[in-house]
Amino acid sequence: MLLSIVIPVHNASSYLKRCLDSIIHQSYRQIEIILVDDFSTDDSLAVVRKYEERDNRVKVFCNPRNCRAGYTRNKGLREATGAYVWFVDADDWIPQGAISGLVRHLNNSPKDVDLLVMGYTDNFGDAYVKFERKTRLPRNLGRNEQAMLNFLNLTKGFFSYPFLYLYSRQLLLQHQILFPENVYYEDISFVAMAVHHAKSIEVYSRSSYNYNCEPHNSITRTYSKEKIRDIISAYDRLYEFLASEGLIEKYNDQYLMRFLLHGLGACFQMYYQLDKEDQKDNALKELLQSYLVSDILSDESIIYVSRLIEAIDVNEALTKAYHRLKLDFLCDTKKNWVYSQVSLK
């Protein structure tokens, strides 16, 4: 079985050797490594070119300008030829033996697997030893249990990280599943589409991925007005997808909870991290305030979401605690928000 590993690269030279060495030295050799440089301004391109010269499994492609992760992953997907595709980030790395374990699971399955969900480990780096390494393992779905429900609830390991899944390339091609382009938050709707269209989903309950959580490292830890608006757009795309597939009535409660806690809540968290001048942007304040005074954040809605959290499986204690923290933050924001002088009509 040939596995295609697609890696978008943008100014990642300090991490690339660790990432690529962890892949090319895997015991399972039937892989192609597709690296797409997204117009890096450091020496990332030179680094990946050296790997391409030494290993014929490595293929390097370049964007003509900075096109962001969605476009870059789509470009890599178009070049992929393997039965399965794995999207790996250039600053993360793969534990030894991970690929052979994943492929063994696929080969031993009595049916063709469209989507394989795996576990991962958070790594905070030597400078942040106060944070413990945390391994998060997915759990098998129960009989007749819906994967989409768990994706929206963030339960059983069905998160939005695209690297947590091996995707059948046929699944992606058949349903034209691509990443949204020219946006920051491209992964939510992509994973949602894959989860929905996959006829056969299996779980590999071992940590097969090392996720780099160093604070300076992630796009999710940088802040801008554009990213706040883009978070809302990402949830708009998710809603539109659910509606187009006739799923919104079935999953409206879970969508509401996910949007309020991890969409709108993230917007306010990011807003408080902006510099003072950006916080004075009246259009941005009006946008955020419109949600605070709407029915979507009424006292009744908050009570309803709280009940949805409590209804989550008792085995998902960490997820429930995470949701509660997000809800508490949102309630505090609503209570303490200083309304701008912009009048809402």
Side-chain angles (χ1 to χ4, degrees), residues 122-134 212-216:
D122 287 329
N123 289 268
F124 292 91
D126 295 338
Y128 299 90
V129 293
K130 64 180 180 180
F131 298 108
E132 295 181 7
R133 294 174 79 247
K134 292 182 180 178
N212 185 357
C213 296
E214 295 178 41
H216 67 277

Side-chain angles (χ1 to χ4, degrees), residues 103-265:
V103 172
R104 188 183 308 114
H105 181 96
L106 291 170
N107 284 333
N108 290 339
S109 176
K111 55 190 174 183
D112 292 335
V113 179
D114 287 333
L115 197 65
L116 183 62
V117 190
M118 70 189 77
Y120 73 103
T121 300
D122 287 329
N123 289 268
F124 292 91
D126 295 338
Y128 299 90
V129 293
K130 64 180 180 180
F131 298 108
E132 295 181 7
R133 294 174 79 247
K134 292 182 180 178
T135 294
R136 306 174 191 273
L137 301 179
R139 296 194 293 125
N140 288 308
L141 296 173
R143 185 184 297 274
N144 299 322
E145 188 177 3
Q146 299 297 312
M148 182 60 73
L149 179 70
N150 285 282
F151 171 76
L152 294 172
N153 281 339
L154 297 175
T155 48
K156 291 201 169 183
F158 283 78
F159 306 130
S160 299
Y161 301 132
F163 59 71
L164 291 183
Y165 305 84
L166 283 192
Y167 307 85
S168 160
R169 191 164 65 91
Q170 182 60 33
L171 168 74
L172 302 181
L173 293 175
Q174 179 181 348
H175 297 284
Q176 298 182 318
I177 301 173
L178 294 168
F179 290 93
E181 298 182 358
N182 301 313
V183 297
Y184 287 106
Y185 300 97
E186 75 290 332
D187 45 10
I188 297 175
S189 58
F190 179 88
V191 175
M193 286 189 286
V195 166
H196 170 63
H197 288 297
K199 295 289 190 294
S200 172
I201 299 176
E202 292 194 4
V203 164
Y204 184 67
S205 291
R206 295 186 182 179
S207 179
S208 304
Y209 194 92
N210 285 307
Y211 179 42
N212 185 357
C213 296
E214 295 178 41
H216 67 277
N217 169 61
S218 173
I219 188 173
T220 61
R221 296 176 179 90
T222 57
Y223 314 105
S224 72
K225 296 185 292 184
E226 183 182 4
K227 288 179 182 177
I228 291 174
R229 294 186 176 96
D230 199 38
I231 290 173
I232 293 173
S233 295
Y235 278 89
D236 287 344
R237 287 192 295 274
L238 177 59
Y239 184 93
E240 289 165 4
F241 168 71
L242 294 173
S244 69
E245 296 294 324
L247 299 172
I248 196 61
E249 184 174 349
K250 183 177 182 179
Y251 294 119
N252 186 68
D253 291 350
Q254 286 71 35
Y255 172 82
L256 173 67
M257 180 175 71
R258 177 84 180 253
F259 171 66
L260 286 183
L261 303 185
H262 306 286
L264 192 58

